[in-house]
Amino acid sequence: MTQHETLRLRDVTVALDGQPLIAGLSLAVAPGEVATVMGPSGSGKSTLLSWICGSVDPAFAIEGHIELDGRDITRTVPEARRVGILFQDDLLFPHLSVGENLAFGIPRGVGREERRKRIADALCEAELTGFEDRDPATLSGGQRARIALMRTLLAEPKALLLDEPFSKLDAALRSRIRRFIFDHAIERGLPALLVTHDPDDAAAAGGPVLEIGAGGAVEATAADAGASAARKTGAF
Amino acid sequence: MLRWFPALTLVLFLGPVAAGLVGTWAPAFGYLPSLGGSGFSLDPWRQLFAQPGLGKSLALSLGTGFTATLISLGIVLGFLASCHGRRPVVLVRRLLAPLLAVPHVAVAIGFAFLASPSGWAARLVSPWATGWDRPPDIATAPDPFGIALVCGLVLKEVPFLLLITLGALGQTPADRTLAVARSLGYGPATAWMKTVLPLIWPQIRLPVFAVLAFSLSVVDMALVLAPGIPPPLAPRILRWFNDPELGRHFLAAAGASLQFLLVAGSIALLYGGERLTARLGRRWIAAGGRGHSGRIGRRAGMAAMLLVFATGLAGILGMAVWSLARRWRWPDALPSAWTSGNWMRQADALAWPGWTTVTVAFAAALIAIALVLGCLENEQRNGVTPGSRGLWLIYAPLLAPQIGFLFGVQVLFISVGLDGSWAALVWGHLLFVLPYVFLALADPWRRLDERYARGARCLGASPDRVFWRIKLPMLLRPVLFALAVGFAVSVGEYLPTVFAGGGRFATLTTEAVSLASGGDRRVIGVYSFLQALLPWIGFMLAIGVPAWFYRQRRGMKIFAA
């Protein structure tokens, strides 16, 4: 496994129509660590993630810098950033089979045999061996979430962004998928950044936690508290 | 390169319209050097106003245009207001496509087949109810007052306005609005008129204006259904343009300019009427009248809509029956002998116009799709969204009367050496195909969840790859549907074929029009039914191909609506 480096955000401010949403956020996410940004809906936390992956709505005025692997990627086009993102919805492409969805993630230039092998391996890892030709619409919510993660990981990202990817799953599934995603990020040594409004998610992530408050003030919550909570909830 | 698409589209599409207006207005004031007019003069206008019966022509145009528009709008709004959320709306929605696809001329011919003295309607009630043992000697289609023309226009405009209004309803919280109004004690139709109509009106206003402009200046339907002495203004202008004496072109150009003023003035009048209705409507809304249960209104609304659909579909059926008739004596309800011979005998004559129709329609629709996709993609990538003024531009060729600028377009084509070529024909059709293609595709394209594209970019795909591999395949159905819309529009075009083709190209539409005035009904039936059939085939393919292609992809069904 290649060794990844830290994802750094420096002095990020987000404003919409002159109203500050996030003021002065700085954060370093170490490889294999899942950091959390918490805030209520409309606090600009999803905007923060789309800014990091390079596809933010131009209506938002955003300043600050993103560094990944020692490069400043603030002005890089999205497809060259190597930042993977998972949304609330799995957004599997409905016109492609499960295998084709995964293939879409694999970088170009990888040979046909190798592509097939990587897809098979990814399906095996997601405990969905042999699902290549399935229609994504026939999969369960948990299966779809796992495929979405695999598709993102096959693109060989250097950082992983999680935009409340568990919030639409039911309670039982939620903690399992959450563990599945975190474990994969940690195992690959990826810096991961989660935004959520659910304290349970933050606790399970175990990394540093930032809270966006009124007027965009950013407050750091003790990382240790999160970590110990993670150990507790990590029992299942 | 993508950035050039909006500009390219405007030049290709509005350029000829603007040049066409100039090229029509200049000869209207005596300037057309190629025909010896080199100075400014008011003679064409003097000549125009000296035409006998000009007032009658104008009155006929205005009368039929406004009547058809207001009746069509009344039927659509009355029906939807009284039947919102009920089964008839579902049914009508299902029957809409086949009626919408039929070209104007075919609708007109179908109606003439029904309503003429020896038509199907008279046959069904004769002689047992009417006592007619031969076709009655009265003029019905065409009739001296333009009633048949109004009927034909209504048959064509009701489905169009219905489509637009249903689309607008889908984009507004109509159901919840209605539920709130109903809970405040308003009757269903009153609630709809007072709360839903104001919500959707901004979206249906331009289409209503387009309907009015079309009805005031229609040529092809008027040639079939309107009286001939004198005809309404637009077909009369065409007659002047076609006069072998070339000097009449100045007169025709003045007439075309008058037609433009007529349409512009009428739209202004309708706009004023709209403002006035809105003011009075506010008072009516604020007065708090709750209305009634609406049962009578519902019956009336349903009956009117049923009549429109039944007549439209019966007209098409009538063409099909005539095309297969060998012997059909008055007053038999059906032919006594059937044959496929009409089709066989016409096969050779049909081949060339049929081929021209299909190739021109396909080319125009494909070019329109490419331009529209380029504009929409540019809009999303570069974040330039056209405002409501952009929509006026899109509607421009539909609001300006065709006869008001197509002569100028012909002059433009002559000056660039394109006149009478296949390319000119495609270009001429493109002017009218493009707006409909844009209207059909813009909403589904903009509605696609943008996170699919964002997610794909984060997976390392370039914008081009996202377009070809994600957006286009996901939107295959609306794209093919828009292509079918463009195809159908082109198949039905009459005037652009006459002008841009320089009289050198015959399509099914031009053949049907020239046959309609007096030819053998069995032959007319063949041409007009085939003309109606082509767009149907287009729509069937547009719906069937993606359904088959994605038969294993259940998730694609949600994009089917």
Side-chain angles (χ1 to χ4, degrees):
Chain A
M1 194 65 39
T2 47
Q3 189 53 51
H4 294 289
E5 289 186 31
T6 306
L7 169 70
R8 278 179 215 281
L9 305 179
R10 287 189 210 279
D11 303 322
V12 181
T13 62
V14 178
L16 179 63
D17 301 329
Q19 294 292 316
L21 295 175
I22 298 175
L25 181 147
S26 291
L27 176 65
V29 189
E33 184 177 60
V34 184
T36 306
V37 171
M38 289 194 47
S41 50
S43 62
K45 56 190 194 306
S46 287
T47 308
L48 180 70
L49 292 197
S50 44
W51 177 67
I52 298 172
C53 74
S55 56
V56 73
D57 186 332
F60 291 94
I62 305 185
E63 281 171 49
H65 287 275
I66 315 159
E67 252 175 52
L68 183 60
D69 250 10
R71 303 181 295 152
D72 186 324
I73 57 165
T74 316
R75 309 223 167 272
T76 312
V77 291
E79 62 268 28
R81 291 190 183 200
R82 313 280 302 270
V83 175
I85 185 164
L86 287 176
F87 296 102
Q88 267 177 30
D89 299 287
D90 49 73
L91 297 173
L92 294 180
F93 303 125
H95 62 298
L96 302 178
S97 68
V98 168
E100 287 164 339
N101 262 286
L102 293 173
F104 191 86
I106 302 173
R108 282 184 156 183
V110 177
R112 188 131 53 114
E113 263 320 299
E114 175 65 16
R115 297 179 88 82
R116 202 172 300 158
K117 188 176 163 303
R118 287 192 196 181
I119 292 169
D121 290 348
L123 285 173
C124 176
E125 229 178 298
E127 293 167 27
L128 293 168
T129 307
F131 270 53
E132 278 91 344
D133 294 328
R134 286 283 293 269
D135 177 1
T138 61
L139 268 50
S140 73
Q143 291 171 329
R144 292 171 62 99
R146 291 190 326 251
I147 296 293
L149 175 69
M150 285 302 152
R151 186 176 68 175
T152 302
L153 294 179
L154 283 173
E156 298 171 5
K158 291 174 182 291
L160 186 62
L161 306 178
L162 305 169
D163 189 354
E164 303 198 47
F166 335 109
S167 64
K168 284 195 177 169
L169 300 171
D170 60 54
L173 203 53
R174 194 182 165 111
S175 49
R176 288 224 319 270
I177 295 295
R178 189 162 63 195
R179 201 64 263 155
F180 181 79
I181 293 178
F182 289 166
D183 285 349
H184 274 83
I186 293 165
E187 184 190 319
R188 277 163 212 248
L190 284 171
L193 178 58
L194 167 74
V195 303
T196 182
H197 57 260
D198 185 343
D200 278 357
D201 289 346
V209 179
L210 293 181
E211 267 198 81
I212 303 170
V218 180
E219 188 189 334
T221 315
D224 287 348
S228 62
R231 276 191 291 278
K232 261 186 277 163
T233 46
F236 42 81
Chain B
M1 200 197 89
L2 199 60
R3 281 179 190 279
W4 291 99
F5 263 90
L8 178 71
T9 307
L10 283 183
V11 167
L12 273 180
F13 152 77
L14 286 183
V17 178
L21 282 173
V22 173
T24 305
W25 280 85
F29 287 97
Y31 184 81
L32 185 59
S34 58
L35 288 181
S38 52
F40 172 86
S41 120
L42 284 174
D43 279 349
W45 291 92
R46 267 183 224 118
Q47 213 185 336
L48 174 66
F49 289 114
Q51 292 298 313
L54 183 71
K56 260 192 182 165
S57 291
L58 280 174
L60 204 52
S61 289
L62 281 170
T64 51
F66 271 98
T67 313
T69 306
L70 294 178
I71 290 181
S72 305
L73 187 62
I75 290 178
V76 169
L77 296 184
F79 171 75
L80 287 175
S82 54
C83 299
H84 187 102
R86 289 170 169 271
R87 281 182 53 88
V89 179
V90 181
L91 187 71
V92 157
R93 198 190 276 270
R94 222 170 269 161
L95 287 172
L96 190 55
L99 213 49
L100 208 56
V102 184
H104 290 93
V105 177
V107 169
I109 291 174
F111 183 72
F113 277 11
L114 284 183
S116 69
S118 59
W120 226 355
R123 282 166 190 266
L124 287 175
V125 293
S126 298
W128 54 274
T130 57
W132 295 330
D133 47 17
R134 66 182 63 188
D137 188 19
I138 44 171
T140 49
D143 66 295
F145 308 105
I147 298 170
L149 178 58
V150 168
C151 293
L153 284 167
V154 168
L155 290 182
K156 190 64 194 142
E157 303 304 7
V158 163
F160 172 69
L161 286 176
L162 198 57
L163 175 80
I164 296 285
T165 315
L166 286 173
L169 282 173
Q171 291 173 28
T172 45
D175 291 334
R176 274 178 294 147
T177 310
L178 207 55
V180 170
R182 294 292 298 280
S183 74
L184 293 172
Y186 284 85
T190 312
W192 197 91
M193 294 301 254
K194 287 189 171 182
T195 61
V196 176
L197 182 58
L199 278 183
I200 58 170
W201 182 257
Q203 291 181 66
I204 60 177
R205 165 203 278 150
L206 271 176
V208 170
F209 288 174
V211 164
L212 178 68
F214 180 85
S215 305
L216 286 166
S217 56
V218 62
V219 171
D220 47 10
M221 293 183 95
L223 289 175
V224 180
L225 291 176
I229 325 167
L233 186 60
R236 207 169 171 188
I237 297 166
L238 181 66
R239 205 186 279 171
W240 294 330
F241 273 128
N242 285 338
D243 199 304
E245 195 202 312
L246 290 176
R248 304 278 268 185
H249 274 82
F250 293 99
L251 165 66
S257 303
L258 179 65
Q259 178 77 55
F260 181 86
L261 293 177
L262 186 77
V263 168
S266 298
I267 288 179
L269 193 68
L270 191 63
Y271 184 76
E274 179 208 319
R275 299 282 86 191
L276 187 69
T277 311
R279 279 185 82 156
L280 295 176
R282 261 171 208 285
R283 248 185 260 171
W284 178 59
I285 293 170
R290 259 46 175 178
H292 305 285
S293 71
R295 198 166 299 147
I296 298 165
R298 189 154 64 238
R299 295 245 168 85
M302 270 161 58
M305 191 55 79
L306 184 74
L307 191 64
V308 168
F309 272 73
T311 312
L313 295 172
I316 299 162
L317 193 63
M319 296 184 301
V321 171
W322 267 111
S323 77
L324 293 170
R326 198 166 68 155
R327 209 171 44 241
W328 193 356
R329 287 209 199 88
W330 172 270
D332 298 347
L334 283 173
S336 53
W338 300 79
T339 178
S340 58
N342 303 328
W343 286 87
M344 299 302 173
R345 268 191 301 285
Q346 295 303 320
D348 282 342
L350 280 172
W352 190 239
W355 175 250
T356 308
T357 307
V358 171
T359 51
V360 168
F362 201 61
L366 266 186
I367 294 171
I369 280 282
L371 290 172
V372 168
L373 282 176
C375 290
L376 290 171
E377 184 66 6
N378 177 61
E379 177 183 307
Q380 287 181 345
R381 279 194 212 172
N382 299 325
V384 272
T385 24
S388 60
R389 225 175 304 154
L391 204 57
W392 276 93
L393 288 182
I394 294 289
Y395 265 96
L398 308 183
L399 292 174
Q402 291 193 346
I403 195 127
F405 65 92
L406 276 173
F407 173 66
V409 172
Q410 193 182 19
V411 173
L412 171 77
F413 285 159
I414 291 172
S415 67
V416 293
L418 264 180
D419 61 306
S421 67
W422 189 80
L425 197 53
V426 172
W427 198 357
H429 280 216
L430 182 67
L431 306 184
F432 306 98
V433 166
L434 196 97
Y436 288 106
V437 169
F438 185 88
L439 294 175
L441 192 52
D443 275 334
W445 193 269
R446 289 172 180 155
R447 264 211 304 267
L448 180 69
D449 191 338
E450 45 144 14
R451 290 176 309 166
Y452 283 111
R454 273 165 54 187
R457 297 263 333 250
C458 293
L459 290 171
S462 66
D464 286 341
R465 190 167 148 80
V466 173
F467 175 81
W468 291 107
R469 290 289 311 275
I470 303 299
K471 290 189 192 171
L472 205 54
M474 280 184 76
L475 293 165
L476 182 66
R477 194 183 146 124
V479 167
L480 289 185
F481 190 82
L483 192 69
V485 168
F487 182 82
V489 169
S490 171
V491 166
E493 289 301 344
Y494 175 71
L495 269 193
T497 313
V498 171
F499 278 99
R504 264 176 248 176
F505 289 93
T507 62
L508 293 177
T509 303
T510 58
E511 292 293 271
V513 170
S514 49
L515 284 168
S517 56
D520 180 344
R521 279 202 184 160
R522 286 167 293 199
V523 179
I524 304 171
V526 167
Y527 276 85
S528 51
F529 185 69
L530 186 60
Q531 198 211 6
L533 196 62
L534 282 180
W536 275 352
I537 296 172
F539 281 108
M540 304 264 269
L541 287 175
I543 293 167
V545 167
W548 181 84
F549 202 71
Y550 291 129
R551 65 196 179 284
Q552 312 257 359
R553 298 280 173 265
R554 236 173 41 196
M556 289 302 290
K557 292 227 167 74
I558 56 162
F559 295 96

